[in-house]
Amino acid sequence: MYPLDEYKVKTLEDKTEDEGVEIRCKECSSCKECPLCCYQILGRFNLMSNAYHLQGLAYKFLLTLSITQVACERAGGGGNDVQWCFSQVKGAIDDDVAEADIISTVEFNHSGELLATGDKGGRVVIFQQETENKSQPQCRSEYNVYSTFQSHEPEFDYLKSLEIEEKINKIRWLPQKNAAQFLLSTNDKTIKLWKISERDKRPEGYNLKEEDGRYRDAATITALRVPVFRPMDLMVEASPRRVFANAHTYHINSISVNSDNETYLSADDLRINLWHLEITDRSFSILENIVDIKPANMEELTEVITAAEFHPHQCNTFVYSSSKGTIRLCDMRASALCDKHSKLFEEPEDPSNRSFFSEIISSISDVKFSHNGRYMMTRDYLSVKIWDLNMESRPVETYQVHEYLRSKLCSLYENDCIFDKFECCWNGNDSVVMTGSYNNFFRMLDRSQRRDVTLEASRESCKPRQVLKPRRVCAGGKRKKDEISVDSLDFNKKILHTAWHPQENIIAVATTNNLYIFQEKVN
């Protein structure tokens, strides 16, 4: 439970000291950070007495300001007040899905204008938001194909007799500095830096070659021409600028661009490397002997790295999570090799919930800093947890994603679904988080109102601007009309990858080979 959920508003009425103070309670669903919330805490701990009379009056005066009240009411509004409607679906609506077409990552760029997806076939598809529709609110999230290119090809490591898949594990955009866009894409072993640029003019009037590219006979050149640029149809080019290879022995699971925009990290199961975007022939291993994740005897291996990310504002700070459910925060200013963490975030396990599957379901599949850098979010198999960077002992918020599956862990273990890696994401102001589930369900978790809603990405909701209806799962007992039984969930339909537009209420969720785009309903 959130620590302030139990507090009630306690209001002082204007009475004489002989009459005492009348305490009147009403429910509060505010932001927990404004003067009104401070006023609640003062009343909760009897700090409104004569000993703190001036302080109480100060807060009471603040509450008379209309701007304070309006700010608090606005803060109370959350993402679940938003009605989500269908916008687009990308990919073939077909029951027979090719393995290469399964989407493996989704990522908006920093402005939200571009949306990139990677698939198991090594392809990257970039969608662009249509500029001519931005003035029409009902069509503002129309995304059309901007560029498609083959990022990775299947390879074979002859020294280790190991086949390297072309599957795109992660895509990360770099902040835009000029007309071109840059992104990093990675498969299990190799990271590539791609430049995405536009060309709408072509040069003509060469002196030494014809327009078709054939070189001219120098003896036939009698006059000097000045080449000119002529308009042409817009062409989007994707060219590899850097290739970062041969630095990871194990499969890469994370890449994260630093806030200095010069370096980035890449993490595999046992090591994290720090790269400079201009240097491809070497990396600096920042996790040389930490934990020690790679023991002398591999049979003694007890945990692996599952995700890593740089802090959004502090270029010296990063976190990484492990299969044991711990998160370690490291500061690169402490030493060249971060063999010791600065903070360890771990929630003590409840002995009453201990089972054979405890270690598996506690493994963290994703970790994300909030945009303001104050919090971080982790996703394990059954829950999403919000951590305050200033408190390591326990998360400040815990949300159950699909607790009704706890009774199904045995069957989920048998079909390997228990090892699925669900991702999570923040909305633009960090007030709502989103993550996926089974049966093509995805969850919206409102932090300010402590509410949640389950929505579904399905073919039945593919009508233009159709509002999504909340879905409910019946874990047991008598099932209501609008509920779905936990036994009828389709575990082959799952949403592992989600993304939220950084500035607007536009979301993208990947279901096998389809990319669904939903937006806020606009009246």
Side-chain angles (χ1 to χ4, degrees):
M1 177 182 291
Y2 192 78
L4 291 179
D5 282 350
E6 61 177 346
Y7 295 160
K8 305 291 184 180
V9 176
K10 301 194 175 182
T11 307
L12 291 177
E13 304 291 348
D14 293 330
K15 299 208 174 180
T16 64
E17 294 184 3
D18 295 335
E19 292 175 326
V21 176
E22 178 184 345
I23 303 297
R24 178 168 54 85
C25 298
K26 66 179 180 179
E27 294 296 331
C28 176
S29 59
S30 57
C31 63
K32 311 295 190 292
E33 296 177 354
C34 65
L36 174 58
C37 299
C38 297
Y39 191 55
Q40 297 175 45
I41 299 174
L42 290 173
R44 175 69 175 84
F45 293 101
N46 298 321
L47 297 180
M48 305 297 292
S49 63
N50 291 335
Y52 304 96
H53 182 64
L54 293 179
Q55 186 178 17
L57 285 178
Y59 278 108
K60 193 171 182 180
F61 172 73
L62 284 174
L63 291 175
T64 64
L65 302 178
S66 59
I67 187 172
T68 302
Q69 298 168 4
V70 171
C72 186
E73 291 169 1
R74 286 180 177 174
N80 288 323
D81 294 329
V82 173
Q83 280 190 308
W84 294 94
C85 63
F86 171 80
S87 176
Q88 293 173 278
V89 59
K90 304 294 185 181
I93 305 295
D94 193 355
D95 291 327
D96 187 15
V97 179
E99 181 76 12
D101 294 333
I102 296 177
I103 297 175
S104 55
T105 184
V106 181
E107 187 79 8
F108 279 102
N109 73 337
H110 294 270
S111 66
E113 181 186 2
L114 300 178
L115 172 63
T117 66
D119 59 29
K120 289 189 175 182
R123 298 181 295 267
V124 173
V125 181
I126 302 176
F127 303 93
Q128 183 184 42
Q129 190 175 19
E130 289 298 316
T131 54
E132 61 268 21
N133 289 335
K134 286 185 177 180
S135 60
Q136 305 177 21
Q138 68 273 19
C139 302
R140 71 177 186 276
S141 64
E142 289 292 324
Y143 283 81
N144 292 321
V145 175
Y146 179 65
S147 177
T148 302
F149 58 94
Q150 188 72 30
S151 175
H152 288 73
E153 300 282 356
E155 302 176 36
F156 190 81
D157 189 336
Y158 292 96
L159 294 178
K160 298 181 179 179
S161 297
L162 180 66
E163 184 177 355
I164 303 174
E165 294 182 348
E166 65 270 33
K167 170 191 170 186
I168 306 297
N169 291 340
K170 294 290 180 182
I171 291 175
R172 291 291 181 265
W173 291 92
L174 273 67
Q176 187 175 6
K177 296 181 178 179
N178 49 41
Q181 297 276 357
F182 289 86
L183 64 81
L184 290 166
S185 64
T186 182
N187 65 352
D188 287 341
K189 300 292 182 181
T190 305
I191 307 165
K192 295 184 180 181
L193 175 64
W194 291 89
K195 178 182 179 182
I196 316 298
S197 56
E198 297 180 352
R199 193 150 61 101
D200 58 358
K201 293 182 175 62
R202 68 172 183 268
E204 291 183 359
Y206 289 106
N207 288 287
L208 299 180
K209 61 181 180 180
E210 303 290 351
E211 299 302 330
D212 59 3
R214 293 183 294 108
Y215 282 95
R216 301 173 59 186
D217 184 359
T220 63
I221 301 176
T222 59
L224 183 65
R225 295 185 294 179
V226 178
V228 295
F229 282 97
R230 302 291 185 191
M232 60 175 285
D233 293 336
L234 179 65
M235 183 172 60
V236 180
E237 296 178 320
S239 54
R241 307 296 292 179
R242 305 278 188 276
V243 177
F244 306 89
N246 305 319
H248 286 279
T249 305
Y250 304 95
H251 292 176
I252 299 173
N253 55 49
S254 301
I255 52 176
S256 179
V257 181
N258 200 345
S259 59
D260 62 10
N261 298 329
E262 294 183 352
T263 57
Y264 74 94
L265 64 78
S266 60
D268 63 23
D269 294 339
L270 299 179
R271 179 164 295 170
I272 296 180
N273 291 330
L274 180 66
W275 300 86
H276 194 286
L277 288 167
E278 300 296 329
I279 303 174
T280 61
D281 59 347
R282 64 185 181 275
S283 67
F284 182 71
S285 180
I286 55 180
L287 291 191
E288 186 71 31
N289 298 309
I290 199 161
V291 176
D292 183 344
I293 292 180
K294 186 177 181 181
N297 182 4
M298 287 296 287
E299 294 181 357
E300 299 175 0
L301 183 66
T302 58
E303 64 178 332
V304 295
I305 298 170
T306 56
E309 183 172 80
F310 265 121
H311 191 280
H313 309 302
Q314 301 171 8
C315 62
N316 54 281
T317 305
F318 69 95
V319 295
Y320 71 96
S321 58
S322 80
S323 57
K324 279 192 171 182
T326 61
I327 311 101
R328 293 174 172 85
L329 185 143
C330 300
D331 190 337
M332 291 189 292
R333 297 173 300 182
S335 62
L337 296 179
C338 296
D339 52 352
K340 292 183 180 180
H341 52 265
S342 300
K343 292 186 177 182
L344 175 65
F345 300 85
E346 182 177 16
E347 184 177 23
E349 183 182 6
D350 185 356
S352 62
N353 291 333
R354 181 70 183 174
S355 70
F356 171 78
F357 306 105
S358 296
E359 188 169 335
I360 300 175
I361 64 176
S362 66
S363 176
I364 295 175
S365 57
D366 196 16
V367 57
K368 294 281 176 57
F369 278 108
S370 61
H371 294 89
N372 60 20
R374 170 67 185 274
Y375 302 96
M376 66 177 174
M377 168 174 53
T378 60
R379 170 69 205 266
D380 56 41
Y381 188 69
L382 294 179
S383 65
V384 168
K385 297 175 182 178
I386 309 296
W387 300 80
D388 189 324
L389 295 188
N390 297 324
M391 188 171 73
E392 308 166 47
S393 57
R394 58 184 175 86
V396 293
E397 302 166 38
T398 300
Y399 302 94
Q400 300 302 327
V401 178
H402 38 219
E403 182 66 19
Y404 47 80
L405 293 182
R406 190 176 290 275
S407 61
K408 302 290 182 181
L409 292 179
C410 186
S411 57
L412 291 168
Y413 178 79
E414 292 174 353
N415 61 19
D416 286 342
C417 285
I418 200 171
F419 301 105
D420 287 333
K421 307 299 182 185
F422 292 94
E423 298 177 2
C424 51
C425 62
W426 301 84
N427 72 337
N429 62 5
D430 302 328
S431 64
V432 184
V433 298
M434 176 174 64
T435 189
S437 183
Y438 293 105
N439 207 67
N440 283 353
F441 289 167
F442 59 98
R443 301 266 286 161
M444 297 281 193
L445 310 169
D446 190 317
R447 300 181 58 215
S448 59
Q449 297 192 17
R450 304 292 294 169
R451 295 193 301 177
D452 59 82
V453 64
T454 301
L455 303 174
E456 182 181 9
S458 66
R459 303 175 188 178
E460 287 73 21
S461 61
C462 286
K463 297 178 182 178
R465 291 185 287 280
Q466 178 179 350
V467 176
L468 299 185
K469 296 181 179 179
R471 303 303 304 269
R472 294 177 176 85
V473 178
C474 176
K478 187 176 180 180
R479 182 170 62 89
K480 297 180 181 179
K481 182 179 179 180
D482 59 343
E483 291 182 338
I484 180 173
S485 172
V486 67
D487 296 320
S488 49
L489 295 176
D490 189 345
F491 294 108
N492 292 319
K493 295 180 180 180
K494 62 191 79 172
I495 294 179
L496 301 178
H497 314 288
T498 60
W500 200 309
H501 192 289
Q503 300 170 6
E504 302 179 42
N505 277 334
I506 301 174
I507 58 175
V509 297
T511 64
T512 56
N513 67 320
N514 296 128
L515 179 70
Y516 286 83
I517 300 176
F518 303 100
Q519 69 176 38
E520 179 184 1
K521 181 182 178 182
V522 179
N523 297 324

